[in-house]
Amino acid sequence: MEIIESKENKLIKFLKKLKQKKYRDNEAQFLAEGHKFLDYDTVPEIIVIREDAKDLYIEKLDKFECKKVIVSEKIFQELSSQENSQGIIIVYSKKNNDLNCLSNNLVILDDVADPGNLGTIIRLCDATNFKDIILTKGTVDAYNEKVIRATMGSILNVNLFYLEKQEIIKILKENNYSVIATYLDKEALPYNKIKLKEKNAVIFGNEGRGICDEFINISDCKTIIPILSNTESLNVAVASAIILYKFREIEGLI
């Protein structure tokens, strides 16, 4: 393993740049922090190990044939986004996902803004086997360090597509998806009464504004989660969990 002792090293400068969205987009790579990622089979581009942690993960590190570097605690702190880091930072390449290979059941996120919510929803989609997630361009960057941390590794198991809203609508119409919008409306069906078709797309909206009018207007079904008190609404990640698990229950998978 290579040892890097200077923060002026070209690789260290590159890694720092990946903390910014524009460089992640340009390089199609992102940072993930924590030894949990070493449990996945996805092969990294680079693994960065803090010098005092190298002996802790030696067996996990050995299974990956990729560039591995050891850095001092001082350099590692400049790369880390966590207060109590486990001493491992991993660089992955983003997947090259194909819009022509979308599955029959999609999750669409309309301008979800909070990194924690997005990360939790990605983890949930992985848990319920919704592999294709389409995000509007107004949704927070899924490769943001806070999102990555909240996914607990599930970012490696799903396919993400950032598209303009009109592009999404075009895909849904051309491929005959039944569009299910989570929307507070007097005509909306309770979530346990929705009818699934051969191809379905479930839309969850922004934390404050909900789903945009463009998506509401093309929806085949509006659904709500009944609330039994004066609470105005549920957190979008919580609502996603309830509906996606009910979806799988309706299908008879759980």
Side-chain angles (χ1 to χ4, degrees):
M1 285 186 278
E2 180 183 354
I3 298 174
I4 297 177
E5 298 179 335
S6 171
K7 64 181 181 180
E8 299 303 317
N9 179 277
K10 186 182 293 187
L11 176 60
I12 300 303
K13 289 182 176 180
F14 171 75
L15 296 175
K16 286 181 182 178
K17 286 181 177 180
L18 289 181
K19 296 167 78 69
Q20 301 175 52
K21 182 181 184 303
K22 66 178 181 179
Y23 288 106
R24 292 194 293 270
D25 290 345
N26 289 340
E27 300 295 335
Q29 294 184 339
F30 64 96
L31 301 174
E33 186 166 357
H35 68 76
K36 175 69 178 175
F37 286 88
L38 298 176
D39 294 332
Y40 292 85
D41 291 331
T42 303
V43 179
E45 298 296 327
I46 306 166
I47 301 177
V48 181
I49 310 108
R50 193 179 61 212
E51 60 184 351
D52 66 333
K54 63 181 184 296
D55 294 334
L56 298 176
Y57 310 119
I58 194 67
E59 289 186 13
K60 290 184 176 182
L61 291 171
D62 282 347
K63 74 175 183 178
F64 296 113
E65 291 188 10
C66 65
K67 185 177 182 65
K68 299 163 193 169
V69 299
I70 297 172
V71 300
S72 67
E73 182 174 354
K74 187 174 181 179
I75 292 175
F76 192 89
Q77 284 177 348
E78 293 194 20
L79 302 175
S80 174
S81 62
Q82 300 181 15
E83 287 187 16
N84 298 304
S85 176
Q86 297 166 337
I88 292 280
I89 294 174
I90 302 170
V91 180
Y92 290 104
S93 288
K94 296 180 183 180
K95 290 183 183 179
N96 292 316
N97 298 316
D98 187 352
L99 279 169
N100 294 314
C101 298
L102 291 173
S103 55
N104 284 352
N105 294 306
L106 309 177
V107 171
I108 297 173
L109 303 180
D110 181 14
D111 291 3
V112 171
D114 181 79
N117 282 338
L118 178 55
T120 300
I121 294 170
I122 290 172
R123 188 177 178 188
L124 168 68
C125 287
D126 184 22
T128 50
N129 203 33
F130 285 84
K131 292 302 185 185
D132 294 325
I133 307 171
I134 299 179
L135 310 98
T136 61
K137 289 287 183 73
T139 297
V140 65
D141 179 25
Y143 302 98
N144 174 309
E145 291 166 330
K146 291 180 180 178
V147 178
I148 297 295
R149 184 160 64 248
T151 72
M152 292 293 288
S154 288
I155 191 79
L156 303 175
N157 292 337
V158 298
N159 305 315
L160 303 177
F161 305 87
Y162 274 91
L163 301 173
E164 297 289 354
K165 294 180 184 183
Q166 289 306 312
E167 291 180 272
I168 297 171
I169 291 170
K170 184 171 183 279
I171 288 169
L172 296 177
K173 287 183 175 180
E174 288 181 349
N175 293 279
N176 298 313
Y177 281 94
S178 175
V179 180
I180 302 167
T182 53
Y183 179 61
L184 296 173
D185 182 82
K186 62 183 180 181
E187 297 179 359
L189 291 173
Y191 73 102
N192 58 341
K193 303 293 184 183
I194 59 175
K195 305 294 183 183
L196 302 179
K197 297 187 178 179
E198 182 181 353
K199 300 175 81 171
N200 306 278
V202 188
I203 306 179
F204 301 99
N206 174 270
E207 292 87 344
R209 300 187 303 274
I211 294 171
C212 69
D213 290 342
E214 294 100 311
F215 288 147
I216 292 169
N217 292 338
I218 66 156
S219 64
D220 299 289
C221 168
K222 301 179 185 71
T223 189
I224 58 169
I225 300 169
I227 293 176
L228 307 180
S229 71
N230 293 327
T231 300
E232 183 179 333
S233 62
L234 295 174
N235 170 278
V236 65
V238 173
S240 300
I242 293 170
I243 289 175
L244 294 184
Y245 270 101
K246 176 54 70 174
F247 190 115
R248 292 312 193 198
E249 184 181 331
I250 292 170
E251 288 185 307
L253 297 179
I254 56 174

mmCIF file of all heavy atoms in Angstrom, residues 92-117:
data_model
loop_
_atom_site.group_PDB
_atom_site.id
_atom_site.type_symbol
_atom_site.label_atom_id
_atom_site.label_comp_id
_atom_site.label_asym_id
_atom_site.label_seq_id
_atom_site.Cartn_x
_atom_site.Cartn_y
_atom_site.Cartn_z
ATOM 1 N N TYR A 92 -15.766 5.478 -5.094
ATOM 2 C CA TYR A 92 -16.469 4.631 -6.058
ATOM 3 C C TYR A 92 -16.755 5.409 -7.325
ATOM 4 O O TYR A 92 -16.938 6.625 -7.298
ATOM 5 C CB TYR A 92 -17.820 4.158 -5.503
ATOM 6 C CG TYR A 92 -17.738 3.168 -4.381
ATOM 7 C CD1 TYR A 92 -17.986 3.562 -3.069
ATOM 8 C CD2 TYR A 92 -17.444 1.826 -4.622
ATOM 9 C CE1 TYR A 92 -17.939 2.653 -2.023
ATOM 10 C CE2 TYR A 92 -17.389 0.911 -3.582
ATOM 11 C CZ TYR A 92 -17.642 1.326 -2.284
ATOM 12 O OH TYR A 92 -17.586 0.423 -1.264
ATOM 13 N N SER A 93 -16.862 4.697 -8.430
ATOM 14 C CA SER A 93 -17.388 5.275 -9.660
ATOM 15 C C SER A 93 -18.904 5.157 -9.656
ATOM 16 O O SER A 93 -19.456 4.161 -9.171
ATOM 17 C CB SER A 93 -16.830 4.550 -10.890
ATOM 18 O OG SER A 93 -15.476 4.865 -11.069
ATOM 19 N N LYS A 94 -19.563 6.174 -10.188
ATOM 20 C CA LYS A 94 -21.018 6.102 -10.321
ATOM 21 C C LYS A 94 -21.374 5.058 -11.376
ATOM 22 O O LYS A 94 -20.640 4.842 -12.335
ATOM 23 C CB LYS A 94 -21.577 7.469 -10.734
ATOM 24 C CG LYS A 94 -21.367 8.569 -9.704
ATOM 25 C CD LYS A 94 -21.963 9.873 -10.223
ATOM 26 C CE LYS A 94 -21.725 11.031 -9.260
ATOM 27 N NZ LYS A 94 -22.314 12.299 -9.773
ATOM 28 N N LYS A 95 -22.528 4.436 -11.199
ATOM 29 C CA LYS A 95 -22.996 3.459 -12.175
ATOM 30 C C LYS A 95 -23.422 4.145 -13.468
ATOM 31 O O LYS A 95 -23.939 5.262 -13.451
ATOM 32 C CB LYS A 95 -24.215 2.706 -11.631
ATOM 33 C CG LYS A 95 -23.938 1.746 -10.501
ATOM 34 C CD LYS A 95 -25.257 1.055 -10.150
ATOM 35 C CE LYS A 95 -25.114 0.124 -8.977
ATOM 36 N NZ LYS A 95 -26.421 -0.505 -8.643
ATOM 37 N N ASN A 96 -23.236 3.459 -14.570
ATOM 38 C CA ASN A 96 -23.784 3.902 -15.855
ATOM 39 C C ASN A 96 -25.113 3.183 -16.073
ATOM 40 O O ASN A 96 -25.161 2.078 -16.612
ATOM 41 C CB ASN A 96 -22.813 3.582 -17.001
ATOM 42 C CG ASN A 96 -21.561 4.413 -16.929
ATOM 43 O OD1 ASN A 96 -21.619 5.614 -16.688
ATOM 44 N ND2 ASN A 96 -20.410 3.782 -17.132
ATOM 45 N N ASN A 97 -26.187 3.799 -15.601
ATOM 46 C CA ASN A 97 -27.495 3.159 -15.648
ATOM 47 C C ASN A 97 -28.199 3.432 -16.976
ATOM 48 O O ASN A 97 -28.036 4.494 -17.570
ATOM 49 C CB ASN A 97 -28.354 3.633 -14.479
ATOM 50 C CG ASN A 97 -27.741 3.257 -13.142
ATOM 51 O OD1 ASN A 97 -27.281 2.143 -12.971
ATOM 52 N ND2 ASN A 97 -27.719 4.191 -12.203
ATOM 53 N N ASP A 98 -29.007 2.481 -17.401
ATOM 54 C CA ASP A 98 -29.658 2.547 -18.709
ATOM 55 C C ASP A 98 -31.159 2.769 -18.548
ATOM 56 O O ASP A 98 -31.863 1.916 -17.993
ATOM 57 C CB ASP A 98 -29.390 1.237 -19.460
ATOM 58 C CG ASP A 98 -29.875 1.280 -20.907
ATOM 59 O OD1 ASP A 98 -30.542 2.260 -21.286
ATOM 60 O OD2 ASP A 98 -29.585 0.321 -21.639
ATOM 61 N N LEU A 99 -31.649 3.890 -19.063
ATOM 62 C CA LEU A 99 -33.078 4.189 -18.990
ATOM 63 C C LEU A 99 -33.916 3.209 -19.808
ATOM 64 O O LEU A 99 -35.133 3.115 -19.603
ATOM 65 C CB LEU A 99 -33.343 5.623 -19.471
ATOM 66 C CG LEU A 99 -33.102 6.743 -18.465
ATOM 67 C CD1 LEU A 99 -33.140 8.094 -19.156
ATOM 68 C CD2 LEU A 99 -34.118 6.689 -17.332
ATOM 69 N N ASN A 100 -33.293 2.508 -20.716
ATOM 70 C CA ASN A 100 -34.026 1.534 -21.528
ATOM 71 C C ASN A 100 -34.232 0.210 -20.802
ATOM 72 O O ASN A 100 -34.889 -0.695 -21.335
ATOM 73 C CB ASN A 100 -33.287 1.279 -22.845
ATOM 74 C CG ASN A 100 -33.265 2.504 -23.734
ATOM 75 O OD1 ASN A 100 -34.281 3.165 -23.922
ATOM 76 N ND2 ASN A 100 -32.091 2.830 -24.266
ATOM 77 N N CYS A 101 -33.683 0.109 -19.614
ATOM 78 C CA CYS A 101 -33.786 -1.150 -18.859
ATOM 79 C C CYS A 101 -34.488 -0.953 -17.515
ATOM 80 O O CYS A 101 -34.182 -1.628 -16.528
ATOM 81 C CB CYS A 101 -32.390 -1.744 -18.629
ATOM 82 S SG CYS A 101 -31.519 -2.166 -20.152
ATOM 83 N N LEU A 102 -35.432 -0.023 -17.474
ATOM 84 C CA LEU A 102 -36.150 0.239 -16.230
ATOM 85 C C LEU A 102 -37.020 -0.954 -15.845
ATOM 86 O O LEU A 102 -37.608 -1.620 -16.700
ATOM 87 C CB LEU A 102 -37.024 1.488 -16.374
ATOM 88 C CG LEU A 102 -36.300 2.827 -16.482
ATOM 89 C CD1 LEU A 102 -37.301 3.937 -16.785
ATOM 90 C CD2 LEU A 102 -35.516 3.140 -15.222
ATOM 91 N N SER A 103 -37.126 -1.185 -14.545
ATOM 92 C CA SER A 103 -37.972 -2.273 -14.048
ATOM 93 C C SER A 103 -39.447 -1.874 -14.102
ATOM 94 O O SER A 103 -39.782 -0.719 -14.407
ATOM 95 C CB SER A 103 -37.571 -2.625 -12.613
ATOM 96 O OG SER A 103 -37.608 -1.474 -11.792
ATOM 97 N N ASN A 104 -40.313 -2.797 -13.782
ATOM 98 C CA ASN A 104 -41.752 -2.545 -13.863
ATOM 99 C C ASN A 104 -42.292 -1.705 -12.715
ATOM 100 O O ASN A 104 -43.426 -1.225 -12.785
ATOM 101 C CB ASN A 104 -42.523 -3.867 -13.920
ATOM 102 C CG ASN A 104 -42.442 -4.508 -15.289
ATOM 103 O OD1 ASN A 104 -41.948 -3.907 -16.238
ATOM 104 N ND2 ASN A 104 -42.915 -5.735 -15.398
ATOM 105 N N ASN A 105 -41.511 -1.557 -11.669
ATOM 106 C CA ASN A 105 -41.945 -0.762 -10.522
ATOM 107 C C ASN A 105 -40.888 0.288 -10.182
ATOM 108 O O ASN A 105 -39.750 -0.062 -9.853
ATOM 109 C CB ASN A 105 -42.209 -1.661 -9.315
ATOM 110 C CG ASN A 105 -43.384 -2.592 -9.551
ATOM 111 O OD1 ASN A 105 -44.474 -2.149 -9.885
ATOM 112 N ND2 ASN A 105 -43.161 -3.896 -9.396
ATOM 113 N N LEU A 106 -41.275 1.544 -10.280
ATOM 114 C CA LEU A 106 -40.349 2.658 -10.073
ATOM 115 C C LEU A 106 -40.730 3.470 -8.847
ATOM 116 O O LEU A 106 -41.903 3.567 -8.490
ATOM 117 C CB LEU A 106 -40.377 3.599 -11.286
ATOM 118 C CG LEU A 106 -40.197 3.012 -12.680
ATOM 119 C CD1 LEU A 106 -40.330 4.111 -13.718
ATOM 120 C CD2 LEU A 106 -38.849 2.314 -12.795
ATOM 121 N N VAL A 107 -39.721 4.088 -8.251
ATOM 122 C CA VAL A 107 -39.944 5.123 -7.238
ATOM 123 C C VAL A 107 -39.460 6.442 -7.831
ATOM 124 O O VAL A 107 -38.347 6.520 -8.366
ATOM 125 C CB VAL A 107 -39.185 4.811 -5.932
ATOM 126 C CG1 VAL A 107 -39.244 5.999 -4.974
ATOM 127 C CG2 VAL A 107 -39.773 3.570 -5.270
ATOM 128 N N ILE A 108 -40.307 7.457 -7.750
ATOM 129 C CA ILE A 108 -39.953 8.779 -8.265
ATOM 130 C C ILE A 108 -39.959 9.770 -7.108
ATOM 131 O O ILE A 108 -40.916 9.819 -6.328
ATOM 132 C CB ILE A 108 -40.945 9.226 -9.358
ATOM 133 C CG1 ILE A 108 -40.865 8.259 -10.543
ATOM 134 C CG2 ILE A 108 -40.641 10.654 -9.816
ATOM 135 C CD1 ILE A 108 -41.899 8.495 -11.608
ATOM 136 N N LEU A 109 -38.894 10.537 -7.003
ATOM 137 C CA LEU A 109 -38.758 11.519 -5.926
ATOM 138 C C LEU A 109 -38.756 12.912 -6.524
ATOM 139 O O LEU A 109 -37.897 13.254 -7.332
ATOM 140 C CB LEU A 109 -37.479 11.261 -5.124
ATOM 141 C CG LEU A 109 -37.365 9.857 -4.509
ATOM 142 C CD1 LEU A 109 -36.056 9.722 -3.751
ATOM 143 C CD2 LEU A 109 -38.545 9.548 -3.601
ATOM 144 N N ASP A 110 -39.738 13.703 -6.116
ATOM 145 C CA ASP A 110 -39.944 15.036 -6.674
ATOM 146 C C ASP A 110 -39.385 16.096 -5.731
ATOM 147 O O ASP A 110 -40.020 16.464 -4.739
ATOM 148 C CB ASP A 110 -41.448 15.256 -6.906
ATOM 149 C CG ASP A 110 -41.748 16.614 -7.522
ATOM 150 O OD1 ASP A 110 -40.808 17.277 -8.010
ATOM 151 O OD2 ASP A 110 -42.927 17.011 -7.509
ATOM 152 N N ASP A 111 -38.181 16.559 -6.012
ATOM 153 C CA ASP A 111 -37.543 17.653 -5.278
ATOM 154 C C ASP A 111 -37.389 17.382 -3.777
ATOM 155 O O ASP A 111 -37.524 18.284 -2.950
ATOM 156 C CB ASP A 111 -38.330 18.960 -5.471
ATOM 157 C CG ASP A 111 -38.239 19.496 -6.883
ATOM 158 O OD1 ASP A 111 -37.616 18.827 -7.730
ATOM 159 O OD2 ASP A 111 -38.789 20.575 -7.153
ATOM 160 N N VAL A 112 -37.097 16.139 -3.410
ATOM 161 C CA VAL A 112 -36.788 15.835 -2.007
ATOM 162 C C VAL A 112 -35.502 16.571 -1.645
ATOM 163 O O VAL A 112 -34.483 16.418 -2.321
ATOM 164 C CB VAL A 112 -36.653 14.314 -1.788
ATOM 165 C CG1 VAL A 112 -36.107 14.011 -0.394
ATOM 166 C CG2 VAL A 112 -38.002 13.632 -2.001
ATOM 167 N N ALA A 113 -35.557 17.364 -0.589
ATOM 168 C CA ALA A 113 -34.477 18.314 -0.317
ATOM 169 C C ALA A 113 -33.524 17.898 0.795
ATOM 170 O O ALA A 113 -32.360 18.307 0.804
ATOM 171 C CB ALA A 113 -35.080 19.689 0.026
ATOM 172 N N ASP A 114 -33.986 17.113 1.739
ATOM 173 C CA ASP A 114 -33.172 16.803 2.912
ATOM 174 C C ASP A 114 -32.284 15.586 2.658
ATOM 175 O O ASP A 114 -32.795 14.523 2.278
ATOM 176 C CB ASP A 114 -34.077 16.537 4.115
ATOM 177 C CG ASP A 114 -33.284 16.242 5.369
ATOM 178 O OD1 ASP A 114 -32.788 17.200 5.982
ATOM 179 O OD2 ASP A 114 -33.139 15.054 5.730
ATOM 180 N N PRO A 115 -30.966 15.695 2.852
ATOM 181 C CA PRO A 115 -30.063 14.563 2.603
ATOM 182 C C PRO A 115 -30.411 13.326 3.426
ATOM 183 O O PRO A 115 -30.318 12.201 2.925
ATOM 184 C CB PRO A 115 -28.686 15.116 2.980
ATOM 185 C CG PRO A 115 -28.808 16.594 2.846
ATOM 186 C CD PRO A 115 -30.210 16.922 3.247
ATOM 187 N N GLY A 116 -30.792 13.542 4.676
ATOM 188 C CA GLY A 116 -31.150 12.405 5.534
ATOM 189 C C GLY A 116 -32.368 11.669 5.013
ATOM 190 O O GLY A 116 -32.417 10.435 5.020
ATOM 191 N N ASN A 117 -33.360 12.428 4.552
ATOM 192 C CA ASN A 117 -34.552 11.797 3.981
ATOM 193 C C ASN A 117 -34.212 11.009 2.728
ATOM 194 O O ASN A 117 -34.648 9.870 2.557
ATOM 195 C CB ASN A 117 -35.604 12.856 3.639
ATOM 196 C CG ASN A 117 -36.363 13.347 4.846
ATOM 197 O OD1 ASN A 117 -36.436 12.675 5.871
ATOM 198 N ND2 ASN A 117 -36.940 14.533 4.743
#
